[in-house]
Amino acid sequence: MAETCTRKLIVEVCNARNLMPKDGQGTASAFATVDFDGQRRRTKTKLRDLNPEWDEKLEFLVHDTDSMAAKTLEISLYNDKKTGKRSTFLGKVRIAGSAFVKSGGETLVYYSLEKRNVFSQIKGELGLKVYYIDEDPPAPPAEQKPEEKAPETEENKPAEEAKPEEEKKEEEKKEEPKTESNKEAKKEKEKPSPPPQEENPKKPEEAAPPVKVENLPLVESEKKPSKEEKEKAEIVRRSEVTISDFELRSLTSDRGRSAYDLVDRMSFLYVRVVKAKTGNNESKSLVYAKLMIGTYSIKTKSQSDKDWDKVFAFDKEGLNSTSLEVSVWTEEKKENEEATQECSLGTVSFDLQEVPKRAPPDSPLAPQWYALESENSAGNEVMLAVWIGTQADEAFQEVWQSDSGGLLPETRAKVYMSPNLWYLRLTVIQTQDLHLGSGKARNPELYVKAQLGAQLFKTGRTSVGSTSSSSANPTWNEDLVFVAAKPFEPFLTVTVEDVTNGQSVGHVKIHVASIERRTDDRAELKSRWFNLVGDDTKPYTGRIHVRVCLEGGYHVLDEAAHVTSDVRAAAKQLAKAPIGLLEVGIRGATNLLPVKTKDGTCGTTDAYVVAKYGPKWVRTCTILDRFNPRWNEQYTWDVYDPCTVLTIGVFDNGSGAKKMGEIEIAIRFSCSSWLNLIQAYTSPMLPRMHYVKPLGPAQQDILRHMAMRLVTARLTRSEPPLGQEEVQFMLDSDTHMWSMRKSKANWFRVVGCLTRVATLACWIEGIRTWLHPPTTILMHVLLIAIVLCPHLVLPTIFMYAFLILAFRFRYRQKAPLNMDSRLSYVDMVGLDELDEEFDGFPTTRSQDVVRIRYDRLRALAGRAQTLLGDFASNGERLEALWNWRDPRATGIFVVFCLVASLVFYVVPFKMFVLGSGFYYLRHPRFRDDMPSILVNFFRRLPSFSDQIL
């Protein structure tokens, strides 16, 4: 990138809001300094303004485009004192290089100013636009022939030679403090260049060893180097090694993400078949290569150009032979015969014990030409490479495995990315000058319909009057929100419909690429007028006033709330640096059951694993016909929030989701900064727009299903496709569907939470009834201590909480949380309830089965109805006490309040608490078995239950 174009980073410092006064007079004179990649720029100073506006554009040169994402842009605000003193700090903003966007996608983003340290008093926001521009390099200047130099005279002597001798000596003294390495480098430049070597370009991962011995000073063999020459050579060698070590560490860190240290190393025999060369090059017959190891056999596609360049892998542990045979065959079809005649062009054999071994970071094995042994055809050759490696080999991701379906692309491991989803908000304001035509209804009803792709939303209906000017121009002021996926649909179609006659008044197509983008609600959006167009005979039918924008400040939910794996905003400008790295090793599965038949006789399973975290999906290779498959594949994800969920599913190739058996995985989370990890627990779960301008629950659920459909459609169009059932199952799209099992599980979850409260209530009741007298006496002492020393209440509570949690630390769950079959009540569900759970919507079962399930649902709903009625009755009784619904009961309560107020004027509050505590903890011999007076009074209060039909 750096060789073909020049990249510039543009930072537009727009304005700041609500800065902290720092000049002692309630204002501040702010200026900004911007630092990036060793470059610094400064804006002008805005005097005495807490909301300054600069609107200055600063440019920075990006020296290395590949490492731009790893760099950080820092903008600091200062108060300019103009008195020679040090400027006062007003706040700073740090933006990661990964958040930079290309020119054309920039938007105004307001960043909250950060503190320099804990004690800094900082507030306010800074509005910025950050983007980069790629410019083509200038054309090299045309070569000019060197002009012939005139003979030097005193008049045309170079200025350097015309200088006095004293100035020359001063310049020589300035050049003396150069390092020895620089002098040595200068000597090296003066040496003649070495003879040109054969070009051998290498990929970045195939970097040469770090030490470059060809650049060291040459020394004659019969002469020993002096001490000074040794020191100079060591300096040069260290400088070369330092640069190469940095490159090597970069490559190692990249490979560290795919290091297979969480899974078992599996040995594979790799065979790379590149192409073949035959004696008869003019033949246009189809040619294919065939590989055989014992009973294993696999072949390439038949091609006429004899150029395959495919890599095949054989599981080394499953091989039943010690030799590999590679043969090349031709296919010829005669005119009068339907069958294809095959002819061998020769075979080459390899002893597996002599095959070389290779492991990264070693360079790939170079293919070689091998002569094919044949009695009928001579002069044939095949280019191939054979080596033994592991799944860490670079060729493993594109390999055609012998136990993974041969040449079926959908059986190979793949990585998929979900599309970047945005919300598109259309605010329909008003229409004017509508041409409704003649002969229509007196007061027609209109509504606005908007469509983006397959999404269609409508506004409410409004009537158009014939006399009132306000009703003649109907107004809605309604928001219609869509889900848009990059690359966006080309047009948003807005149509005004007439309900009376069911016809369209006019429509307009808005180009989505021209729609303004915003990242928060602080950016002002401009409304726009569009002309409505009818059919060919009506080029103008009115105009519509709308406000439309792409909302990048939201996170578009495309999965169920309880399995959310990503909470970042859609706009790249709001991206934050990851807090850690998640590594997952998918090792294998056990006890899988057959889900389909093979050859109509026996059951089989072709299993693969799909894992999803954030926008990244991974799909392992498919292991054919095994109930205990071993994948041993490892993947990594960047983690931006610790309170997210990794979803893993096992599927059968062709039969969909498998819901039995066990999967073995290894998980490792490495955190780059524990401070950032702890800070993540104090930050909001969702971006700011979800709180300042929230979406309703019903609207959010509709948009979530729209987003699921978009993600499913995009992933099913990949090659190879990720099936619709797999995507919907991983996104948990059926959470809104009724399930008796899930209802039972949720009910017992509520009971489990209330059990803690019930246990505490039973413990207090035991103290109250003197079941354990020493504990009750101790509670009396504690009550006296609390009343006399109330300032010790909170310290005591938090100390008890600390001791309890510290004691339970040893019993914490050390394994990662996953699906719990006991909590899910899988073993307690009946066959009919399980069939109901997997039934589609609408149902496909018979009427008798549906009637039985409906009656069962009615019985369950009746109990829930009774529980809700009891809860509502208690609330209505408490409300009736204040509304004089029962005058006698409310009168008693009024008298009680009057007496209680007089008593509390006389009795100290501490004495009341102490007396109430002693009364509550009184001995059972002083108690009555009947309910208390307060309970009897509350139960006699009226409710609305007797007024319901």
Side-chain angles (χ1 to χ4, degrees), residues 576-593:
K576 297 181 179 179
I579 62 173
L581 183 70
L582 176 66
E583 300 172 85
V584 179
I586 303 175
R587 300 171 65 89
T590 57
N591 303 326
L592 299 183
L593 299 180

Side-chain angles (χ1 to χ4, degrees), residues 200-446:
N200 185 18
K202 295 183 179 181
K203 299 180 181 178
E205 61 267 23
E206 302 167 17
V211 181
K212 300 179 181 179
V213 296
E214 66 271 15
N215 290 335
L216 295 179
L218 299 177
V219 183
E220 294 180 3
S221 58
E222 61 269 6
K223 181 181 177 182
K224 293 184 179 181
S226 63
K227 183 178 180 181
E228 183 180 0
E229 290 176 342
K230 286 184 178 180
E231 292 176 355
K232 292 178 181 179
E234 181 66 19
I235 291 173
V236 175
R237 187 186 68 81
R238 286 181 180 176
S239 63
E240 297 291 345
V241 171
T242 302
I243 297 174
S244 299
D245 282 346
F246 176 78
E247 297 173 355
L248 185 61
R249 283 197 301 271
S250 177
L251 294 174
T252 305
S253 64
D254 292 340
R255 289 198 184 101
R257 291 174 173 252
S258 58
Y260 284 70
D261 56 345
L262 296 181
V263 296
D264 298 332
R265 292 295 180 99
M266 300 176 64
S267 297
F268 290 92
L269 173 65
Y270 288 94
V271 182
R272 185 185 188 93
V273 183
V274 183
K275 56 185 176 180
K277 184 169 59 176
T278 60
N280 185 12
N281 293 327
E282 297 180 358
S283 176
K284 296 184 179 180
S285 302
L286 297 178
V287 182
Y288 68 89
K290 184 177 181 182
L291 286 71
M292 290 189 63
I293 305 179
T295 58
Y296 287 96
S297 176
I298 194 171
K299 66 177 184 178
T300 65
K301 293 181 179 180
S302 299
Q303 298 179 189
S304 59
D305 56 358
K306 302 180 285 294
D307 190 356
W308 303 287
D309 196 13
K310 298 295 183 184
V311 181
F312 301 90
F314 299 86
D315 189 358
K316 194 170 181 296
E317 296 181 357
L319 300 180
N320 52 9
S321 178
T322 59
S323 64
L324 165 68
E325 292 185 0
V326 180
S327 57
V328 180
W329 299 73
T330 61
E331 292 182 351
E332 294 183 358
K333 187 176 181 181
K334 296 184 178 180
E335 297 179 357
N336 300 329
E337 297 180 5
E338 296 181 358
T340 303
Q341 184 179 0
E342 297 183 350
C343 179
S344 175
L345 298 179
T347 305
V348 59
S349 301
F350 296 88
D351 188 355
L352 299 185
Q353 296 181 355
E354 299 178 359
V355 173
K357 296 183 179 179
R358 185 222 171 228
D362 295 346
S363 300
L365 198 66
Q368 299 180 10
W369 286 104
Y370 293 90
L372 296 174
E373 299 178 1
S374 176
E375 298 179 356
N376 302 327
S377 179
N380 301 327
E381 293 180 321
V382 61
M383 177 182 280
L384 52 86
V386 182
W387 73 94
I388 293 177
T390 65
Q391 70 268 38
D393 199 293
E394 293 87 350
F396 182 76
Q397 298 300 329
E398 297 296 330
V399 78
W400 303 97
Q401 286 183 257
S402 61
D403 57 351
S404 296
L407 300 179
L408 300 177
E410 58 270 15
T411 61
R412 292 187 296 174
K414 286 292 181 183
V415 176
Y416 303 85
M417 295 298 295
S418 296
N420 186 14
L421 302 178
W422 289 57
Y423 284 140
L424 189 150
R425 185 187 298 273
L426 172 67
T427 304
V428 182
I429 303 175
Q430 189 184 29
T431 56
Q432 288 184 0
D433 195 21
L434 295 180
H435 296 181
L436 301 178
S438 58
K440 300 297 187 292
R442 181 179 180 85
N443 295 318
E445 291 186 350
L446 303 177

Side-chain angles (χ1 to χ4, degrees), residues 714-729:
R714 291 291 178 90
L715 294 180
T716 52
R717 291 202 301 265
S718 304
E719 185 59 38
L722 197 61
Q724 179 179 354
E725 182 183 2
E726 288 94 322
V727 177
Q728 293 182 353
F729 181 78

Side-chain angles (χ1 to χ4, degrees), residues 665-859:
I665 59 176
I667 299 178
R668 177 172 59 206
F669 174 69
S670 54
C671 179
S672 57
S673 172
W674 283 100
L675 182 62
N676 294 338
L677 180 63
I678 296 174
Q679 186 180 2
Y681 279 89
T682 63
S683 59
M685 279 287 295
L686 296 172
R688 181 177 179 273
M689 285 292 289
H690 286 270
Y691 304 99
V692 298
K693 199 167 185 179
L695 302 172
Q699 185 182 27
Q700 205 166 29
D701 189 61
I702 294 174
L703 294 175
R704 182 170 65 88
H705 283 85
M706 292 291 183
M708 286 182 179
R709 294 173 187 172
L710 280 176
V711 174
T712 304
R714 291 291 178 90
L715 294 180
T716 52
R717 291 202 301 265
S718 304
E719 185 59 38
L722 197 61
Q724 179 179 354
E725 182 183 2
E726 288 94 322
V727 177
Q728 293 182 353
F729 181 78
M730 297 291 289
L731 295 176
D732 208 355
S733 60
D734 59 347
T735 53
H736 64 288
M737 303 297 292
W738 163 257
S739 169
M740 180 66 73
R741 177 189 60 82
K742 291 182 180 179
S743 300
K744 291 180 179 178
N746 292 334
W747 168 254
F748 285 109
R749 285 171 59 195
V750 174
V751 172
C753 295
L754 297 178
T755 300
R756 311 293 191 275
V757 180
T759 303
L760 179 62
C762 292
W763 180 71
I764 295 175
E765 184 66 18
I767 295 175
R768 175 174 172 267
T769 56
W770 291 70
L771 290 179
H772 192 250
T775 304
T776 306
I777 295 174
L778 182 62
M779 291 302 298
H780 281 78
V781 176
L782 182 62
L783 178 63
I784 296 174
I786 290 175
V787 172
L788 298 180
C789 303
H791 59 279
L792 297 179
V793 175
L794 292 179
T796 304
I797 292 175
F798 286 113
M799 180 57 68
Y800 283 165
F802 168 77
L803 294 176
I804 293 173
L805 293 175
F807 177 75
R808 291 185 177 182
F809 177 77
R810 57 190 298 186
Y811 302 106
R812 71 191 187 280
Q813 185 173 358
K814 299 181 180 179
L817 300 177
N818 52 18
M819 295 294 181
D820 190 343
S821 58
R822 184 189 61 83
L823 183 63
S824 303
Y825 282 83
V826 174
D827 300 331
M828 300 178 62
V829 64
L831 294 178
D832 183 64
E833 295 175 351
L834 192 63
D835 180 73
E836 181 184 12
E837 181 176 349
F838 293 111
D839 187 15
F841 186 84
T843 181
T844 58
R845 301 299 184 264
S846 62
Q847 293 183 358
D848 296 336
V849 174
V850 174
R851 185 180 296 109
I852 294 173
R853 294 174 180 175
Y854 176 68
D855 292 339
R856 181 176 60 201
L857 181 61
R858 288 179 62 191

